[in-house]
């Protein structure tokens, strides 16, 4: 069998040298993990808006809110009770004539403080506990895991309630209560990650070059778990904020005359029939915080760990 | 499998022991008993102490307490004319159970439908709706949702009574307030699981057998996606317990949660500690049942359970 | 279109792309081949060459969401498989065309007893009763060489080893005695000793049932032992096609030479090193205009990147697409390690 061929310019059949690796030359500078994640996060509109709203709430709660208001969150004024939102009292006043604008932002400050505290505890207790437990393994790990298992056998809000009963309710007690249980989930996640990573080649290589255990964990294992840690932090924060508001709502949290979003919502729920704005305003701020933290958490999860994306 | 169950049970009992011990020592460390009232004469106080066994050495009290709790005796309420705590809890249990179970049923049905539709119509409006509901459900707590429902469905529309518990209609709003979190948890969970399962090789194989789309979904996708749903049982129990505290308070439902919050207000310590123990037992049981059920239902787990 | 009577399947100019966020990836770019009755046709290529996509598209099992069907036809039983409705296709999958997948660890439903997984298609396509289907599942398990089949049908997949699972998958595929069996890398995920067993099984069953087999693989060793004909795929195109004998002993395309030269042979003289193919396959979101192998080809000429070469026919079965066969091209000898000479 013969195939007919077209006539072509003979020069076309001169041999040429082609670099087989030409196509593999890297087109641009390498993109790092964090930069790559940031690019992905920027595409997530919900997460970006949430981040912006959170920054805004932060600024208003700590700086602008108290600065531009002439009222204090504690001053009672019996002649000006139950004023709806007016040009003087932007969020109205409560049953003691206290300014709701400053009280709501004082409550938001408590929430943000609790969120920050929970995040710090997660890092300094949860990550450290998990890293030690996972890296050392063996009997130490066994004991440390049993402790967590027992702690997890008790609903954490119940632990918090007991703590609030024993000590005087207040922001410090709430901090302790959250500190008692809030970190266990992070510890488990980090431990799992350590166990998964510690026998991988890069960690073995580092150890075989004489690095100390601490150095391996700090320089190799933790950096490789950072994405996971950040994702988890973003879910710890809203649950801590929720825990504080919950305790304050049932009367075990922040005590009068201090304000927390939980106690403001509780007061507002009682005035629902005639003064609903007392419920709406703190509720909106609270839900806004929760939604933004959750959306930002979802966004970070998708950005830092595309495999977990759904 | 049996060893696995035995080991889980052991941990649960250990956790329970720790909890009960902690509650006992807390009760001792409390800033004063309800009898630290100046109006009581020393003699009456002494009588009261004797009656409640508060004059014995602490270890004796501890031993007695542990034995009593093991027999289901949580002591007497300090506040309500010395009625037994366990009896007061059991009395209020049916109402709380009813509202909780109803909330779970609402939540499971709506959440499953939403999650399944979202997964089957991935990247459509339905999907977006499910995602929005899921975010709202975890972000808007029941103590915000409860008053909103009261205001809107109760006061504005007048469809449901907003407080007390006299007939079934009274249970709708509290159950609804509790169920939104269940809906969002279940919807999010089912959606994620189904999307995961639908990408598996065995689903492609099922399609390669010539099964219809519906048969593939019903026989293979749902089956695999629903099994892990067992693992939300314990978290949901926690949620229902804590949720009942605020929801029963908001809707003035005479359940355990409402009683618990009231006992906090009046410093009825034996009631508080007794309810704490009751809640912990409930939660630990849920955790245990969850672990065992998962082991039994999911053949993938069975082998690893046996290997342990 | 007149169909050759020997052919059970005729694929013509099949083109398939995937929509990704980085753009359109052209996975299959005009593939044509025939499948004869009772033969085994091997489609060989590197990962990403489009061989699996070709196979899955015949079963219409590609994900609907991002698959773009660009053209071509696949005539089976006088009908174009690519144009059948989903309902019609469901009657083809199983009784007419069946498929065995690469990874037996993941291709069985972990929550369903293997007996039921086999019965499913029996009941659906052959209308068997539950009891009859159960009986037949036991027979099928025996057929694929699973001992103790009566007990095994009641077990779950996790109670089977990888090789045993692949036997179950084959039993499922053969349940309705299909006319075509597509085996997509059926041995890749298995241990070497198990691989041989599974290949033997496939060959034996093919003789018993008389199906035609399309064997997708990247392993030329597998091809040599079971296939009748080979189609070599590269970058979404078939670059050489012929009988096993022709392709192994008289390959006509530098890519095939490269493939053959990179197989370690125990008989080979140690002085003849393995010759790896340098570089890697082209980016299929922007495939080269001409011969896609140009960049890695030691014999590349000026004409190569400009236009895809015509197929040159060497025998009734053997053809290859390479500019070296143009009469104006210089005469090139394949590397010594490759069996044949031109």
């Amino acid at each position: 069998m013969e195939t007919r061929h077209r006539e072509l310019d003979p020069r076309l059949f001169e041999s040429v040298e082609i670099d087989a690796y030409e196509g593999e030359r890297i087109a641009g500078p390498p993109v790092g993990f964090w930069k790559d994640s940031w690019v992905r996060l920027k595409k997530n509109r919900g997460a970006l808006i949430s981040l912006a709203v959170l920054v805004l709430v932060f600024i208003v709660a700590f700086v602008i809110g108290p600065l531009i208001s002439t009222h204090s969150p504690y001053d009672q004024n019996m002649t000006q009770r139950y004023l709806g939102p007016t040009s003087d009292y932007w969020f109205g006043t409560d049953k003691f004539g206290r300014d709701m604008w400053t009280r709501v932002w004082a409550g938001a400050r408590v929430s943000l403080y609790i969120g920050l505290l929970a995040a710090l505890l997660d890092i300094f207790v949860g990550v450290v506990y998990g890293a030690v437990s996972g890296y050392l393994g063996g009997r130490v790990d066994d004991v440390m895991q049993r402790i967590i298992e027992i702690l997890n056998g008790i609903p954490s809000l119940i632990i918090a309630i007991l703590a609030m009963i024993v000590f005087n309710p207040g922001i410090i007690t709430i901090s302790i209560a959250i500190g008692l249980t809030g970190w266990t989930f992070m510890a488990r996640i980090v431990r799992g990650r350590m166990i998964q990573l510690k026998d991988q080649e890069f960690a073995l290589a580092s150890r075989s070059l004489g690095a100390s255990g601490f150095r391996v964990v700090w320089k190799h294992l933790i950096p490789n778990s950072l994405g996971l840690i950040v994702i988890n932090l973003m879910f710890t924060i809203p649950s801590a904020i929720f825990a504080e508001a919950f305790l304050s709502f049932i009367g075990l949290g922040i005590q009068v005359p201090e304000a927390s979003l939980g106690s403001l919502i509780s007061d507002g729920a009682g005035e629902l029939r005639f003064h609903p704005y007392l419920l709406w305003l703190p509720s909106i701020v609270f839900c806004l915080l929760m939604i933004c933290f959750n959306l930002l958490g979802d966004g970070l999860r998708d950005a830092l760990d595309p495999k977990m994306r759904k | 499998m049996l060893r696995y169950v035995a080991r889980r049970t052991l941990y649960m009992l250990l956790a329970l022991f720790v909890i009960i011990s902690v509650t006992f020592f807390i009760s001792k460390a409390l800033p004063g008993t309800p009898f630290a009232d100046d109006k009581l004469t020393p003699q009456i106080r002494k009588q009261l102490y004797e009656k409640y066994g508060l004059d014995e050495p602490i270890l004796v009290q501890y031993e007695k307490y542990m034995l009593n709790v093991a027999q289901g005796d949580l002591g007497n309420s300090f506040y309500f004319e010395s009625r037994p705590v366990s009896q007061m809890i059991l009395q209020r249990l049916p109402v709380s159970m009813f509202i909780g179970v109803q909330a779970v049923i609402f939540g499971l049905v709506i959440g499953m439908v939403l999650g399944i539709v979202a997964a089957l119509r991935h990247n459509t409006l339905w999907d977006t709706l499910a995602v929005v509901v899921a975010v709202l459900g975890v972000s808007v707590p029941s103590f915000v949702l409860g008053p909103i429902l009261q205001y809107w469905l109760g006061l504005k529309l007048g469809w449901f009574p907003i407080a007390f518990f006299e007939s079934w209609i009274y249970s709708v709003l509290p159950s609804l307030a509790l169920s939104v979190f269940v809906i969002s948890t279940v919807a999010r969970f089912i959606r994620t699981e189904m999307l995961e399962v639908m990408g598996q090789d065995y689903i492609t194989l099922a399609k390669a057998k010539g099964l219809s789309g519906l048969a593939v979904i019903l026989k293979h996708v749902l089956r695999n996606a629903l099994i892990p749903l067992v693992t939300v049982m314990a978290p949901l129990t926690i949620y229902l317990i804590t949720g009942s505290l605020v929801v029963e308070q908001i809707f003035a439902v005479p359940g355990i949660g409402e009683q618990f919050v009231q006992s906090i207000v009046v410093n009825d310590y034996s009631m508080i500690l007794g309810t704490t123990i009751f809640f912990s037992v409930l939660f630990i049981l849920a955790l245990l049942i969850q672990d065992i059920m998962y082991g039994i239902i999911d053949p993938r787990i069975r082998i690893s359970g046996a290997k342990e | 279109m007149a169909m050759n009577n020997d052919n059970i399947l005729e694929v013509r100019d099949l083109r398939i792309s995937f929509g990704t966020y980085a753009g359109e990836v052209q996975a299959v770019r005009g593939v044509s081949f025939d499948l004869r009755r009772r033969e085994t046709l091997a489609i060989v290529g590197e990962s990403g060459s489009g061989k699996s996509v070709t196979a899955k598209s015949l079963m219409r099992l590609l994900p609907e969401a991002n698959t773009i069907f660009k053209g071509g036809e696949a005539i089976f039983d006088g009908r174009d498989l690519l144009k059948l409705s989903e309902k019609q296709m469901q009657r083809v999958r199983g009784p007419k065309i069946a498929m065995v997948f690469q990874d037996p660890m993941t291709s069985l439903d972990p929550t369903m007893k293997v007996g039921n997984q086999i019965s499913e298609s029996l009941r659906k396509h052959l209308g068997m009763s539950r009891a009859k289907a159960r009986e037949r599942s036991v027979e099928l398990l025996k057929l694929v060489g699973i001992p103790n089949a009566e007990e095994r049908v009641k077990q779950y997949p996790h109670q089977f080893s990888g090789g045993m699972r692949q036997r179950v998958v084959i039993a499922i595929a053969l349940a309705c005695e299909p006319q075509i069996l597509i085996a997509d890398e059926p041995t890749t995920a298995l241990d070497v000793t198990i691989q041989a067993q599974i290949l033997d099984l496939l060959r034996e069953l093919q003789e018993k049932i008389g199906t035609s087999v399309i064997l997708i693989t990247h392993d030329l060793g597998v091809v040599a032992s079971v296939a009748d004909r080979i189609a070599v795929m590269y970058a979404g195109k078939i670059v050489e096609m012929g009988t096993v004998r022709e392709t192994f002993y008289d390959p006509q395309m530098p890519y095939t030479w490269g493939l053959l030269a990179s197989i370690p042979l125990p008989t080979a003289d140690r002085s003849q090193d393995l010759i790896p193919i340098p570089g890697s396959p082209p980016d299929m979101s922007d495939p080269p205009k001409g011969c896609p192998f140009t960049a890695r080809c030691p014999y590349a000429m000026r004409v190569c990147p400009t236009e895809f070469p015509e197929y040159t026919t060497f025998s009734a079965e053997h053809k290859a697409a390479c500019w070296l066969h143009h009469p104006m091209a210089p005469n090139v000898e394949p590397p010594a390690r490759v069996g044949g000479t031109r």
Side-chain angles (χ1 to χ4, degrees):
Chain A
M1 270 212 193
E2 254 313 309
T3 314
R4 258 183 308 197
H5 290 280
R6 278 178 297 152
E7 284 297 317
L8 288 165
D9 184 342
R11 278 173 306 177
L12 279 173
F13 292 91
E14 287 164 15
S15 112
V16 285
E17 280 293 323
I18 292 174
D19 181 1
Y21 298 98
E22 170 75 32
E24 289 173 32
R25 220 158 271 146
I26 292 162
V31 182
F33 173 73
W34 295 104
K35 193 165 177 200
D36 192 33
S37 304
W38 172 238
V39 169
R40 276 197 295 265
L41 185 67
K42 273 201 294 196
K43 283 190 190 145
N44 186 332
R45 221 180 308 153
L48 269 197
I49 294 174
S50 299
L51 185 62
V53 170
L54 284 176
V55 170
L56 195 70
V57 170
F58 204 83
I59 294 173
V60 172
F62 281 92
V63 188
I64 298 180
L67 266 186
I68 62 172
S69 174
T70 50
H71 304 283
S72 121
Y74 311 116
D75 288 348
Q76 301 189 2
N77 187 344
M78 286 308 183
T79 60
Q80 299 198 308
R81 303 165 64 212
Y82 293 129
L83 293 180
T86 63
S87 61
D88 191 17
Y89 296 102
W90 296 315
F91 280 7
T93 58
D94 68 1
K95 63 182 168 194
F96 297 116
R98 288 177 297 204
D99 176 37
M100 282 298 283
W101 167 267
T102 44
R103 285 183 75 72
V104 164
W105 294 118
R109 281 201 294 276
V110 170
S111 291
L112 289 171
Y113 157 79
I114 291 288
L116 189 72
L117 177 91
L120 289 177
L121 272 169
D122 236 15
I123 294 172
F124 287 108
V125 183
V127 172
V128 171
Y129 193 100
V132 169
S133 178
Y135 187 76
L136 293 182
R139 184 158 298 167
V140 180
D141 180 43
D142 259 0
V143 172
M144 290 177 90
Q145 285 314 299
R146 293 301 84 77
I147 293 173
I148 286 195
E149 227 160 289
I150 289 172
L151 272 176
N152 281 342
I154 314 167
S156 54
L157 277 173
I158 298 284
I159 297 185
I161 288 173
L162 290 178
M164 303 307 287
I165 294 170
V166 178
F167 307 105
N168 289 326
I171 196 147
I172 296 170
T173 318
I174 293 189
S175 309
I176 294 172
I178 288 170
L180 277 174
T181 56
W183 52 271
T184 54
F185 193 71
M186 176 68 93
R188 288 199 146 183
I189 297 275
V190 172
R191 168 183 176 262
R193 183 82 178 161
M194 289 291 137
I195 289 176
Q196 180 197 343
L197 288 181
K198 77 174 175 189
D199 289 330
Q200 284 189 7
E201 273 75 5
F202 69 92
L204 292 178
S206 171
R207 250 190 304 177
S208 67
L209 289 172
S212 66
F214 175 78
R215 195 187 150 79
V216 173
V217 171
W218 181 244
K219 285 279 174 197
H220 297 283
L221 302 191
I222 296 278
N224 273 290
S225 321
L226 267 186
L228 204 62
I229 293 172
V230 170
I231 291 166
N232 242 300
L233 275 185
M234 291 314 296
F235 291 103
T236 304
I237 293 172
S239 51
I241 292 178
F242 167 80
E244 181 277 321
F246 172 87
L247 289 170
S248 296
F249 183 90
I250 63 172
L252 274 177
I254 304 292
Q255 302 293 303
V256 284
E258 299 294 333
S260 138
L261 291 175
S263 60
L264 291 175
I265 291 170
S266 173
D267 292 345
E271 312 271 7
L272 185 61
R273 199 178 284 264
F274 302 110
H275 309 288
Y277 66 93
L278 287 177
L279 172 68
W280 300 146
L281 295 172
S283 298
I284 289 170
V285 174
F286 180 75
C287 292
L288 203 62
L289 277 180
M290 293 287 284
I291 290 172
C292 289
F293 272 117
N294 276 317
L295 282 180
L296 185 58
D298 281 347
L300 276 174
R301 184 189 54 204
D302 293 348
L304 293 176
D305 191 353
K307 274 181 309 226
M308 276 163 79
R309 176 177 223 148
K310 273 285 131 58
Chain B
M1 182 72 202
L2 233 125
R3 276 192 57 192
Y4 169 76
V5 173
R7 222 180 60 167
R8 300 300 316 166
T9 316
L10 194 74
Y11 286 141
M12 304 287 164
L13 287 177
L14 198 65
L16 209 54
F17 180 78
V18 172
I19 295 161
I20 297 171
S21 305
V22 167
T23 57
F24 172 77
F25 289 107
I26 284 176
S27 74
K28 294 299 123 188
L30 284 174
T33 67
F35 312 121
D37 189 334
D38 290 341
K39 278 175 275 177
L40 297 173
T41 65
Q43 202 183 350
I44 296 180
R45 194 176 296 160
K46 189 161 175 277
Q47 277 176 1
L48 280 169
Y49 270 53
E50 273 167 25
K51 185 178 168 198
Y52 288 99
L54 296 177
D55 53 345
E56 288 171 275
I58 198 150
L59 278 178
V60 177
Q61 287 187 38
Y62 178 56
E63 193 193 329
K64 260 192 187 164
Y65 182 80
M66 293 306 279
L67 284 175
N68 286 341
V69 171
Q71 291 162 12
D73 178 3
L74 298 171
N76 287 344
S77 163
F78 285 161
Y79 191 78
F80 288 98
E81 299 139 20
S82 310
R83 286 169 58 201
V85 166
S86 42
Q87 189 196 327
M88 288 176 71
I89 291 176
L90 289 181
Q91 241 169 27
R92 292 199 165 213
L93 182 61
V95 174
S96 293
M97 282 272 282
F98 183 81
I99 288 181
V101 169
Q102 184 166 273
V104 170
I105 294 172
F106 283 176
L108 274 179
V109 172
I110 303 174
M112 271 168 66
V113 170
L114 202 57
I116 291 171
V117 172
L120 293 182
R121 301 270 174 276
H122 189 37
N123 290 332
T124 64
L125 211 64
W126 282 105
D127 198 18
T128 316
L129 177 73
V131 174
V132 168
V133 168
V135 171
L136 285 183
V138 294
S139 304
V140 180
S142 45
F143 55 82
V144 171
L145 195 70
I148 291 177
L149 290 176
Q150 272 183 325
Y151 186 77
W152 182 44
L153 296 181
L155 289 177
K156 289 282 148 190
L157 296 172
W159 290 355
F160 302 100
I162 61 166
F164 307 118
F165 194 81
E166 280 152 26
S167 62
W168 174 76
I169 193 90
Y170 286 80
S171 72
V172 174
L173 288 189
S175 286
L176 216 56
L178 273 179
S179 68
V180 170
F181 180 82
V182 185
I183 293 174
S184 78
T185 311
V186 172
R188 184 194 278 240
F189 194 88
I190 300 254
R191 173 177 175 273
T192 314
E193 281 296 322
M194 276 187 67
L195 290 179
E196 165 95 32
V197 169
M198 286 194 294
Q200 295 289 324
D201 288 350
Y202 56 82
I203 297 303
T204 315
L205 182 80
K207 284 184 195 154
K209 284 182 205 167
L211 298 183
S212 69
L214 189 67
V216 173
I217 298 287
L218 290 181
K219 288 172 116 174
H220 296 280
V221 177
L222 276 187
R223 206 184 163 107
N224 279 282
L226 289 183
I227 284 175
L229 193 62
V230 175
T231 56
V232 303
M233 193 173 148
L236 277 188
T237 311
I238 290 201
Y239 168 75
L240 287 178
I241 290 172
T242 51
S244 75
L245 300 189
V246 290
V247 166
E248 290 179 7
Q249 180 77 1
I250 291 166
F251 293 94
V253 174
I256 298 174
E258 195 255 2
Q259 178 173 267
F260 185 62
V261 175
Q262 289 311 314
S263 62
I264 292 171
V265 174
V266 299
N267 284 350
D268 186 347
Y269 293 129
S270 55
M271 191 72 220
I272 296 173
L273 297 179
T275 312
T276 302
I277 293 172
F278 176 77
F279 283 157
S280 304
V281 170
L282 214 62
F283 172 57
I284 284 174
L285 269 181
L287 211 59
L288 187 63
I289 295 173
Q290 165 184 309
D291 284 358
I292 295 175
M293 273 199 357
Y294 196 45
I296 292 173
I297 301 177
D298 191 351
R300 287 165 296 191
I301 299 291
R302 232 180 270 168
I303 187 96
S304 52
K307 266 184 196 157
E308 266 191 319
Chain C
M1 174 173 189
M3 191 144 167
N4 185 328
N5 222 7
D6 280 348
N7 293 343
I8 190 156
L9 176 73
E10 291 182 351
V11 176
R12 291 290 173 270
D13 199 30
L14 182 68
R15 291 165 188 277
I16 291 161
S17 293
F18 292 110
T20 70
Y21 72 102
E24 185 185 314
V25 174
Q26 303 178 24
V28 177
R29 304 186 296 148
V31 160
S32 305
F33 63 86
D34 301 330
L35 181 68
R36 316 257 159 82
R37 289 180 200 280
R38 308 178 76 100
E39 80 159 343
T40 298
L41 170 69
I43 301 182
V44 184
E46 287 168 84
S47 41
S49 61
K51 55 194 196 305
S52 269
V53 176
T54 304
K56 286 213 174 95
S57 71
L58 298 177
M59 286 286 269
R60 298 261 301 274
L61 285 174
L62 294 167
E64 271 167 50
N66 61 349
T67 306
I68 312 163
F69 174 62
K70 306 283 279 190
E73 50 187 14
I75 307 294
F76 169 79
D77 255 2
R79 292 185 299 178
D80 184 354
L81 289 175
L82 305 172
K83 295 200 173 60
L84 293 185
S85 71
E86 175 60 25
K87 268 261 154 346
Q88 291 170 316
M89 205 56 219
Q90 281 164 15
R91 285 193 287 270
V92 171
R93 293 183 198 129
K96 308 278 190 204
I97 308 180
M99 194 156 176
V100 173
F101 296 92
Q102 175 170 1
D103 188 354
M105 303 313 275
T106 57
S107 37
L108 291 171
D109 185 335
T111 59
M112 196 186 256
K113 291 175 183 162
V114 296
N116 293 343
Q117 299 198 43
I118 303 173
S119 310
E120 263 187 327
S121 46
L122 294 171
R123 298 188 61 193
K124 153 114 193 189
H125 299 295
L126 307 182
M128 286 188 187
S129 68
R130 192 178 291 266
K132 188 86 182 43
R134 187 177 192 85
E135 218 173 280
R136 179 75 185 132
S137 325
V138 175
E139 285 171 26
L140 280 164
L141 280 193
K142 282 183 185 155
L143 186 72
V144 295
I146 292 184
N148 213 355
E150 286 86 355
E151 290 305 309
R152 291 295 231 169
V153 285
K154 288 178 241 159
Q155 290 183 333
Y156 287 95
H158 70 77
Q159 290 161 301
F160 290 73
S161 67
M164 284 294 162
R165 286 193 208 192
Q166 196 63 307
R167 284 171 193 263
V168 173
V169 174
I170 291 171
I172 291 174
L174 295 179
C176 302
E177 306 199 345
Q179 290 166 278
I180 300 176
L181 177 70
I182 302 175
D184 186 0
E185 307 253 8
T187 57
T188 308
L190 300 172
D191 285 346
V192 182
T193 47
I194 312 290
Q195 284 186 6
Q197 293 174 13
I198 295 291
L199 288 175
D200 282 346
L201 176 70
L202 275 176
R203 195 167 42 190
E204 186 190 315
L205 293 174
Q206 181 188 11
E207 275 162 23
K208 248 184 227 171
I209 301 173
T211 44
S212 309
V213 176
I214 298 179
L215 178 71
I216 313 286
T217 183
H218 66 266
D219 184 345
L220 283 171
V222 167
V223 175
S225 63
V226 289
D228 300 308
R229 288 191 305 141
I230 300 183
V232 179
M233 270 189 88
Y234 187 77
K237 284 176 179 285
I238 290 180
V239 291
E240 178 157 5
M241 194 161 176
T243 63
V244 167
R245 184 157 257 298
E246 288 164 338
T247 323
F248 269 80
Y249 293 103
D250 188 23
Q252 297 294 342
M253 152 88 199
Y255 177 61
T256 319
W257 298 346
L259 280 185
L260 291 167
S262 54
I263 317 177
L265 296 174
T267 52
D269 184 345
R270 286 281 163 86
S271 65
Q272 297 177 346
D273 288 332
L274 286 182
I275 309 163
I277 304 176
S280 49
D283 174 11
M284 298 308 284
S285 58
D286 181 23
K289 194 160 59 117
C291 171
F293 190 60
T294 310
R296 304 167 75 184
C297 184
Y299 313 101
M301 300 172 292
R302 267 180 214 288
V303 67
C304 297
T306 62
E307 197 182 334
F308 189 77
E310 300 153 57
Y311 287 99
T312 309
T313 314
F314 304 99
S315 76
E317 303 288 1
H318 196 185
K319 60 176 186 171
C322 182
W323 282 112
L324 287 175
H325 301 297
H326 194 279
M328 295 164 88
N331 203 6
V332 168
E333 290 297 321
R337 205 165 171 284
V338 176
T341 48
R342 286 180 62 203

